[in-house]
Amino acid sequence: MPTNKTPSLTIFSFLLGVLWFDYFPGLEAATGKLGSVPGVYVFGDSLVDAGNNNYLAFSVSKANYPHNGVDFPGKKPTGRFSNGKNAADAIAEKFGLPLPPPYLSLRGLFREKRRKSAAVTGVNFASGGAGIFNSSDQKLGQAIPLSHQVNHWLSIHRELTNQLGPAETQIHLSKSLFTVVIGSNDLFDYFGSFKLRRRNNPQQYTQSMADKLKEQLKRIHDTGAHRFLIVGVAQIGCTPGKREKNSAIHECDEEANTWCSLYNEALVKMLQQLKQELQSSMTYSYFDNFKSLRDIISNPARYGFADVTSACCGNGKLNADTPCLPITRYCSDRTKYLFWDRYGHPTEAAARTFIDLMLSDDSQYSSPLTLAQLVSS
């Protein structure tokens, strides 16, 4: 997340979901059988990190301590920035796949069997604090930037090819889902850097983010990936931490939200251009996380939430004065909170809500395809 920084986040560019299509009131459930997905491969930041940062010796962007994981099976912190499972986990479960393990957990001589299995069903390359760019934070070993995550994917691709052979690997990858949830930390870097703001205006910076992301998507595509789920940046100005700093009435930071909108606009145009370049060898679903979050905040009861401004875990005003730590308190009913911590990571309940929106027949948040349509294409 940010560089003030800890996790990567901002609200969630995303979201979980297992089988609870009727989990929240007032929204019709997705219907019909989901298409077949043999593998789920995940790239991104702390919104989908499954514990890669646990293996970074010098990183402080970790969530391997309580109260993180209080609702995860076994009630243990795993490195996920959540009270339970995150979006990447839920996506895999929707398709009947194992949770994609963190890539760095698969390294080593005695993990070869697990690595071979995960190479087929899916691997999580995401890293809390990661960005599209290789920021100074990542150069200091705090996170794994997107370009390095793609390097790690190339290693798994070689593993997969050795197992299945080139022809079968291409068939497998053409049906698999490649999920990308990233961009918030690059915007936080821009907010906090006078040097970056002096060098680029917001339009230039957000366009350069989209251009850089395009390079990495093409690298993934060139290995045989066809289906992409791309999640836009949410309203990071509405995280509990941003609200807490924004006057006595704790409104959203609309300047920060404006920059998010600029990036999402550049992202949508870039994806359209990339699709034109790659034609039928690429299909994608873009999820408008900005709009979906705005609608949830505007009408929380419809989605089953009682608090859409405070963090569930923390201390002080809006529970946002401190990060979620073992010494802080956490809410008793996590299903009623939108945000888990001050950085805007979603609770498991919130993540499930977003996944249901992705899979819903209502396409107001997804284009040109919903996730259900993407995996059936």
Side-chain angles (χ1 to χ4, degrees), residues 178-253:
F178 290 79
T179 300
V180 182
V181 186
I182 203 163
S184 300
N185 292 310
D186 299 284
L187 292 172
F188 279 113
D189 286 343
Y190 186 73
F191 301 157
S193 172
F194 174 75
K195 184 178 180 180
L196 280 177
R197 285 183 280 115
R198 184 178 59 182
R199 186 186 307 158
N200 302 286
N201 63 38
Q203 289 84 357
Q204 291 171 329
Y205 184 77
T206 53
Q207 183 60 54
S208 65
M209 286 173 60
D211 292 342
K212 192 66 175 179
L213 177 58
K214 182 179 180 180
E215 292 178 13
Q216 301 308 321
L217 293 179
K218 290 180 76 171
R219 291 180 67 201
I220 299 170
H221 169 269
D222 288 347
T223 64
H226 286 198
R227 294 172 171 174
F228 290 84
L229 171 62
I230 311 295
V231 180
V233 171
Q235 292 179 305
I236 61 180
C238 294
T239 60
K242 283 290 186 181
R243 283 182 183 269
E244 193 272 333
K245 293 179 180 178
N246 197 24
S247 77
I249 55 177
H250 304 313
E251 293 180 341
C252 297
D253 182 338

Side-chain angles (χ1 to χ4, degrees), residues 72-357:
F72 195 84
K75 298 185 179 298
K76 61 180 181 180
T78 61
R80 292 165 172 84
F81 296 82
S82 171
N83 62 300
K85 294 177 182 177
N86 68 20
D89 303 322
I91 288 283
E93 288 183 327
K94 283 288 186 183
F95 298 106
L97 296 169
L99 305 188
Y103 168 79
L104 294 183
S105 73
L106 303 174
R107 298 188 305 177
L109 182 63
F110 300 106
R111 296 171 180 171
E112 184 177 359
K113 183 177 180 180
R114 186 167 181 243
R115 179 183 172 98
K116 286 183 176 180
S117 175
V120 176
T121 58
V123 177
N124 190 317
F125 304 95
S127 171
I132 298 169
F133 296 126
N134 297 9
S135 74
S136 59
D137 189 52
Q138 289 138 5
K139 290 175 183 175
L140 293 172
Q142 294 296 304
I144 307 166
L146 182 59
S147 61
H148 294 190
Q149 292 180 34
V150 177
N151 291 344
H152 292 163
W153 157 244
L154 296 180
S155 175
I156 290 295
H157 181 266
R158 288 191 292 271
E159 177 77 51
L160 196 58
T161 303
N162 289 337
Q163 284 190 65
L164 305 181
E168 188 62 32
T169 295
Q170 290 306 300
I171 295 172
H172 177 83
L173 295 182
S174 70
K175 297 178 180 179
S176 295
L177 181 65
F178 290 79
T179 300
V180 182
V181 186
I182 203 163
S184 300
N185 292 310
D186 299 284
L187 292 172
F188 279 113
D189 286 343
Y190 186 73
F191 301 157
S193 172
F194 174 75
K195 184 178 180 180
L196 280 177
R197 285 183 280 115
R198 184 178 59 182
R199 186 186 307 158
N200 302 286
N201 63 38
Q203 289 84 357
Q204 291 171 329
Y205 184 77
T206 53
Q207 183 60 54
S208 65
M209 286 173 60
D211 292 342
K212 192 66 175 179
L213 177 58
K214 182 179 180 180
E215 292 178 13
Q216 301 308 321
L217 293 179
K218 290 180 76 171
R219 291 180 67 201
I220 299 170
H221 169 269
D222 288 347
T223 64
H226 286 198
R227 294 172 171 174
F228 290 84
L229 171 62
I230 311 295
V231 180
V233 171
Q235 292 179 305
I236 61 180
C238 294
T239 60
K242 283 290 186 181
R243 283 182 183 269
E244 193 272 333
K245 293 179 180 178
N246 197 24
S247 77
I249 55 177
H250 304 313
E251 293 180 341
C252 297
D253 182 338
E254 294 304 337
E255 182 182 15
N257 287 343
T258 297
W259 293 352
C260 295
S261 292
L262 285 174
Y263 170 65
N264 287 335
E265 290 171 7
L267 174 59
V268 168
K269 291 179 182 177
M270 178 275 285
L271 290 171
Q272 292 170 345
Q273 293 168 355
L274 184 59
K275 171 63 176 173
Q276 287 182 340
E277 292 175 19
L278 301 178
Q279 296 296 319
S280 60
S281 67
M282 175 194 177
T283 56
Y284 73 92
S285 175
Y286 166 77
F287 183 72
D288 190 341
N289 208 28
F290 189 98
K291 182 179 180 181
S292 61
L293 181 67
R294 181 193 64 197
D295 289 353
I296 292 172
I297 291 174
S298 298
N299 190 5
R302 182 185 181 213
Y303 302 90
F305 296 110
D307 192 321
V308 294
T309 58
S310 304
C312 170
C313 183
N315 280 325
K317 295 178 181 178
L318 303 183
N319 265 0
D321 283 348
T322 62
C324 181
L325 299 168
I327 60 172
T328 58
R329 62 187 181 187
Y330 63 94
C331 60
S332 58
D333 188 352
R334 273 80 70 190
T335 67
K336 297 300 182 183
Y337 277 72
L338 181 61
F339 298 112
W340 169 239
D341 58 20
R342 73 185 305 269
Y343 301 106
H345 293 110
T347 59
E348 181 174 335
R352 292 186 185 280
T353 300
F354 282 87
I355 284 293
D356 286 347
L357 290 174

